[in-house]
Amino acid sequence: MNKTELIDYIASQANITKKAASDALAAMIGAVSTQLKKGNKVQITGFGTFVVRDRKARTGRNPRTGAAIQIPATKSPAFVAGKGLKDAVK
């Protein structure tokens, strides 16, 4: 399912226009992005939690030359599925 299909699905399930569904999805994505950028977690009960994980600096290899390179520490977004979502997928 891509973004357009998700918007169509939301519009049909909530009985709203595609424009309203698109705006709602954009607002949700923006809210999650903003909170993660601030270092906060976003928890949606029954669905899951969006968190920011710290990745330590490490030594990697250039696949082309085999030379060792330093990979800097970074922050990356992650999603932890909640019990409701896990049960729904089973």
Side-chain angles (χ1 to χ4, degrees):
M1 175 179 277
N2 62 30
K3 187 175 178 179
T4 303
E5 292 168 341
L6 180 58
I7 290 169
D8 291 343
Y9 183 80
I10 292 169
S12 67
Q13 290 296 306
N15 198 22
I16 58 176
T17 66
K18 288 183 183 180
K19 172 75 170 120
S22 177
D23 292 346
L25 182 60
M28 187 266 193
I29 291 170
V32 170
S33 298
T34 300
Q35 291 304 309
L36 292 179
K37 192 180 291 186
K38 291 179 181 178
N40 299 328
K41 69 178 183 178
V42 177
Q43 185 173 359
I44 302 171
T45 304
F47 182 69
T49 305
F50 296 91
V51 295
V52 176
R53 294 212 173 120
D54 292 321
R55 298 185 71 188
K56 296 179 183 176
R58 61 197 187 281
T59 302
R61 295 270 174 205
N62 180 332
R64 185 172 288 167
T65 64
I69 57 171
Q70 273 303 109
I71 301 171
T74 61
K75 294 179 184 276
S76 67
F79 177 75
V80 180
K83 185 179 182 327
L85 181 59
K86 288 178 183 177
D87 291 344
V89 172
K90 285 183 183 178

